[in-house]
Amino acid sequence: QVQLVESGGGLVQAGGSLRLSCAASGRTFSSYAMGWFRQAPGKEREFVARISWTGGNTYYADSVKGRFTISRDNAKNTVYLQMNSLKPEDTAVYYCAADPARFTIGTANVGEYDYWGQGTQVTVSS
């Protein structure tokens, strides 16, 4: 079982940056691939980025590639999402999630993730 708590959201102007953090409980955090997802009002939850259990393999949605960076610090049980060059269309609630299939590179499929945080709001003004 993994419990996840996101932080770092807020209001930022277009072109600005934010860094989201996701703190995880449990000694097995380092064995889980992790993902970031987002959900805008009236839209389905969508994939943003994922990182393998080792941190050595990452994958991004086309919409954020080159602007967002996912990373993890297994010693701190934390995964991060650095968001640069933010756009108004990035406005959403951002969620981190853990893939229950341990020791994998992870997936972009939202249905594969069993453990979710409560989300943090990111609002980008134009």
Side-chain angles (χ1 to χ4, degrees):
Q1 190 80 10
V2 178
Q3 292 185 326
L4 305 171
V5 178
E6 301 97 335
S7 61
L11 174 64
V12 64
Q13 289 188 333
S17 298
L18 283 174
R19 188 175 83 153
L20 305 183
S21 298
C22 173
S25 65
R27 293 179 294 174
T28 57
F29 167 79
S30 60
S31 65
Y32 293 108
M34 299 293 295
W36 282 98
F37 295 80
R38 66 188 182 186
Q39 188 165 17
K43 295 188 176 181
E44 292 187 352
R45 192 167 299 188
E46 65 174 6
F47 168 76
V48 175
R50 65 108 177 110
I51 188 166
S52 64
W53 69 284
T54 64
N57 188 299
T58 58
Y59 181 71
Y60 299 90
D62 288 343
S63 59
V64 307
K65 200 173 297 182
R67 300 187 297 122
F68 291 11
T69 302
I70 188 172
S71 62
R72 69 189 298 161
D73 185 338
N74 286 342
K76 295 183 178 180
N77 276 17
T78 303
V79 64
Y80 304 97
L81 185 68
Q82 177 67 43
M83 306 186 296
N84 299 328
S85 302
L86 282 160
K87 305 175 181 179
E89 51 263 44
D90 294 318
T91 295
V93 177
Y94 283 71
Y95 299 89
C96 69
D99 184 341
R102 298 170 65 186
F103 307 115
T104 70
I105 64 171
T107 173
N109 185 352
V110 64
E112 298 291 329
Y113 290 80
D114 276 1
Y115 307 116
W116 293 85
Q118 82 290 348
T120 185
Q121 176 71 47
V122 171
T123 303
V124 184
S125 64
S126 57

